[in-house]
């Protein structure tokens, strides 16, 4: 796949850092230390059964490819922290993915299961409702 220069948003990495600083502090800028070794992708249990390639998400964020906001890969991360724990550069990958998800949600991009869970938390205060079906 060939990318056009018009597909790059040079402000996107800065937006990620600014959006995440108030929650994650300096973790928000840690993705700038990534040197694309692929350890995160190799450690990812979700990547073994889905199309998720963690390294590709981080590379896209670094390169300013904000089209990842509308992609499905962003929502395939289970936030298990395997990538976070294995990263030799201590990039806080799971936190970065959460920040990017927040940006995506603000722009109206959110996977349907995540949307439903968010609505449950908003309406009931719980992600899993206590009802006869769940019991």
């Amino acid at each position: 796949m060939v990318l056009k220069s018009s597909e790059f948003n040079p402000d996107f990495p800065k937006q990620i850092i600014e959006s995440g600083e108030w929650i994650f502090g300096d973790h928000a800028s840690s993705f700038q230390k990534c040197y694309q070794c692929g350890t995160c992708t190799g450690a990812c249990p979700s990547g073994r059964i889905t199309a998720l390639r963690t390294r590709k998400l981080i590379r896209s964020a670094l390169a300013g490819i904000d089209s990842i906001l509308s992609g499905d890969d962003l929502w395939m991360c289970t936030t298990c922290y395997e990538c976070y724990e294995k990263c030799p550069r201590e990039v806080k990958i799971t936190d970065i993915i959460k920040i990017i998800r927040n940006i995506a949600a603000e722009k109206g991009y959110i996977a349907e299961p995540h949307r439903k869970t968010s609505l449950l938390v908003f309406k009931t205060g719980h992600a899993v409702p206590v009802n006869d079906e769940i019991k």
Side-chain angles (χ1 to χ4, degrees):
M1 181 169 116
V2 177
L3 296 172
K4 299 176 186 169
S5 62
S6 61
E7 296 179 73
F8 293 94
N9 176 355
D11 295 326
F12 188 52
K14 182 178 165 186
Q15 181 184 8
I16 293 169
I17 294 167
E18 289 173 357
S19 294
E21 276 180 330
W22 69 277
I23 297 175
F24 298 106
D26 65 347
H27 289 200
S29 62
S30 70
F31 75 107
Q32 293 176 311
K33 297 187 298 184
C34 177
Y35 57 74
Q36 295 290 297
C37 68
T39 301
C40 54
T41 297
C44 180
S46 183
R48 293 180 197 130
I49 57 172
T50 69
L52 174 62
R53 299 296 172 260
T54 313
R55 183 181 65 82
K56 183 179 174 186
L57 272 178
I58 298 300
R59 183 183 69 221
S60 296
L62 283 167
I65 303 171
D66 59 6
S67 61
I68 61 173
L69 297 174
S70 61
D72 292 335
D73 290 355
L74 186 58
W75 303 98
M76 291 181 190
C77 172
T78 62
T79 62
C80 71
Y81 289 88
E82 281 294 316
C83 56
Y84 188 109
E85 292 174 4
K86 302 272 190 318
C87 180
R89 300 284 292 185
E90 299 182 353
V91 174
K92 308 307 182 195
I93 299 164
T94 309
D95 293 347
I96 301 305
I97 289 173
K98 289 178 187 179
I99 294 166
I100 298 170
R101 282 180 175 178
N102 287 340
I103 295 169
E106 287 172 4
K107 294 182 182 279
Y109 302 114
I110 187 169
E112 192 58 33
H114 288 79
R115 182 183 309 277
K116 287 179 181 178
T117 301
S118 298
L119 286 174
L120 281 171
V121 171
F122 181 72
K123 288 180 179 180
T124 67
H126 300 282
V128 180
V130 179
N131 59 33
D132 291 336
E133 183 181 336
I134 300 296
K135 288 179 188 176

